[in-house]
Amino acid sequence: METLEREPLAVWLNLVQAQTVVAEALEDRLQASHGLSLPEHEVLVRLYSEPSRRLRMHVLAELLLLSRSGATRLVERLVERGLLTRGAATSDRRVIYAVLTDEGARIVEDSFPEFDRAVGEVFAAHLTSNELASLRRMLRKVLAGNGAWEDQRCNTVVPTRASA
Amino acid sequence: METLEREPLAVWLNLVQAQTVVAEALEDRLQASHGLSLPEHEVLVRLYSEPSRRLRMHVLAELLLLSRSGATRLVERLVERGLLTRGAATSDRRVIYAVLTDEGARIVEDSFPEFDRAVGEVFAAHLTSNELASLRRMLRKVLAGNGAWEDQRCNTVVPTRASA
DNA sequence: CCCCAACCGTTGCGCGAGCAATGATATTCC
DNA sequence: GGAATATCATTGCTCGCGCAACGGTTGGGG
């Protein structure tokens, strides 16, 4: 099995390509149905999955793999659309919370089910559930090996329209 | 095994995060050692792995997962640094080739071995060769399922400093 | 033969993102 | 208690990229 040893680079390129293709497909659907970019949608979902429906800017930036200035402008755009509000913290006056508005929450409830379905169709549908589990294990090992923060919140996301 | 059915989204997020983390690590090293961004380096490698050391702009754009305008400007920057040249085709006067200069080739020979090693350390080192092969199979299924072009050239890349 | 459609690469424009610097607040250490 | 330091979010600047429009070129159909 030592013959095919240019593997790692090829696999890395495949990973980049797959990520790009899937992200484009997801973003297209999201754009068409609700006029949201992928990061914009993620902000809404992240906030929705928070019981208090708010998150400090700094934490939001980390979750979105974004710089703090990037986060600032991202929420700024969503505030202008009325999907978010900025809220000050009582104890620490440096902190600003990004807060989901009712309309923002409504949009999540509207868009998330189809988004979740899209992830299934575009990405997960081509893999067995064993492969999916195996893939996750591998990715976590890579993340851990690079000292990446383990995002527990992945398990806590939206209860998929409990009201319906 | 039906209990954990929010898996797909979580795996997708892990994939994005892993891609981001690894890409940042690779780009940092490349930037430090040769002042190249990841796409810039890839252009050089793609051209180096071509026997004629040239590629049509359109093809280059596809390989790099870039728009044509993006490709135009990317090679423009590298031309200014003297690593590339633009060459006209004899038969079709619409076509322009991006051509690797000798200095560009020298840089590839210089940078690629460490880049390849970096991919090993940052990415592949955390997986067994079985896992790597399995990962590749999965990614290819996802790509095929989304009608992505199968990039055969992955196997043809640089002979890793045959001269040394 | 000539016109029209398709294709190639480049350009104008706007957008989203990162870096470094800023102001405003909190914390720490003497 | 007060000054130095750290932290938080924002802003100015610049860069890389995609989209749409363009000029130049080629091939195909009346």
Side-chain angles (χ1 to χ4, degrees):
Chain A
M1 285 296 181
E2 299 296 340
T3 56
L4 32 91
E5 211 36 68
R6 182 58 68 252
E7 277 282 299
L9 177 56
V11 180
W12 166 242
L13 292 176
N14 282 146
L15 187 134
V16 173
Q17 193 181 359
Q19 198 267 353
T20 304
V21 167
V22 171
E24 278 174 1
L26 293 178
E27 180 137 10
D28 282 352
R29 298 203 193 188
L30 224 41
Q31 194 71 42
S33 61
H34 295 88
L36 291 171
S37 74
L38 216 41
E40 286 165 356
H41 180 253
E42 188 171 351
V43 174
L44 302 183
V45 173
R46 293 282 189 183
L47 291 176
Y48 191 95
S49 69
E50 210 65 26
S52 61
R53 296 206 169 158
R54 73 190 55 214
L55 235 33
R56 297 155 118 93
M57 296 298 298
H58 191 287
V59 177
L60 202 54
E62 283 182 358
L63 288 173
L64 295 169
L65 309 173
L66 224 55
S67 71
R68 275 185 278 196
S69 56
T72 295
R73 271 135 185 170
L74 179 47
V75 323
E76 183 180 26
R77 274 172 278 157
L78 292 171
V79 166
E80 280 169 9
R81 288 205 224 170
L83 308 184
L84 262 55
T85 311
R86 289 177 207 267
T90 58
S91 54
D92 188 336
R93 279 189 297 185
R94 290 172 302 182
V95 166
I96 303 271
Y97 284 99
V99 188
L100 196 64
T101 64
D102 289 348
E103 187 184 349
R106 200 180 53 71
I107 289 201
V108 172
E109 287 160 1
D110 216 46
S111 68
F112 183 77
E114 21 178 333
F115 177 76
D116 196 45
R117 192 155 23 87
V119 172
E121 290 174 17
V122 176
F123 175 61
H126 311 102
L127 304 173
T128 70
S129 62
N130 275 344
E131 286 177 321
L132 219 54
S134 159
L135 176 55
R136 182 170 200 184
R137 264 195 2 261
M138 294 188 218
L139 293 170
R140 292 193 147 181
K141 285 203 286 182
V142 172
L143 286 170
N146 287 85
W149 192 56
E150 192 61 70
D151 182 4
Q152 304 293 1
R153 268 160 257 251
C154 284
N155 304 320
T156 331
V157 262
V158 179
T160 323
R161 180 98 80 170
S163 58
Chain B
M1 286 295 179
E2 299 295 340
T3 55
L4 33 92
E5 212 36 64
R6 183 58 67 252
E7 277 282 299
L9 178 56
V11 180
W12 165 243
L13 292 177
N14 282 146
L15 187 135
V16 173
Q17 193 181 0
Q19 198 268 355
T20 304
V21 167
V22 172
E24 278 175 0
L26 292 178
E27 179 138 10
D28 282 352
R29 298 201 193 189
L30 224 42
Q31 195 70 42
S33 60
H34 295 87
L36 291 171
S37 75
L38 218 39
E40 286 165 355
H41 180 254
E42 189 170 352
V43 174
L44 302 183
V45 173
R46 294 282 189 182
L47 292 177
Y48 190 95
S49 68
E50 210 65 27
S52 60
R53 296 205 169 160
R54 74 190 54 213
L55 235 31
R56 295 155 118 94
M57 296 297 300
H58 192 289
V59 176
L60 202 53
E62 282 182 0
L63 288 172
L64 294 169
L65 309 173
L66 226 54
S67 69
R68 278 182 298 219
S69 56
T72 295
R73 270 129 185 176
L74 179 47
V75 322
E76 184 180 26
R77 274 172 277 157
L78 292 171
V79 166
E80 282 169 7
R81 288 204 223 171
L83 309 183
L84 260 56
T85 310
R86 288 176 208 268
T90 58
S91 53
D92 189 337
R93 278 189 297 186
R94 290 172 300 184
V95 165
I96 303 271
Y97 285 100
V99 187
L100 196 63
T101 64
D102 289 347
E103 187 184 349
R106 201 180 52 72
I107 289 200
V108 172
E109 288 161 0
D110 216 46
S111 67
F112 183 76
E114 21 177 331
F115 176 76
D116 196 45
R117 192 156 20 88
V119 173
E121 290 174 18
V122 176
F123 175 60
H126 312 102
L127 304 172
T128 70
S129 63
N130 274 345
E131 285 177 322
L132 218 54
S134 159
L135 176 55
R136 182 171 199 184
R137 266 195 3 260
M138 295 187 216
L139 293 171
R140 293 193 147 182
K141 285 204 287 183
V142 172
L143 286 170
N146 286 86
W149 191 57
E150 191 61 71
D151 182 5
Q152 303 294 4
R153 270 161 257 254
C154 285
N155 304 320
T156 331
V157 263
V158 180
T160 322
R161 178 101 78 171
S163 58

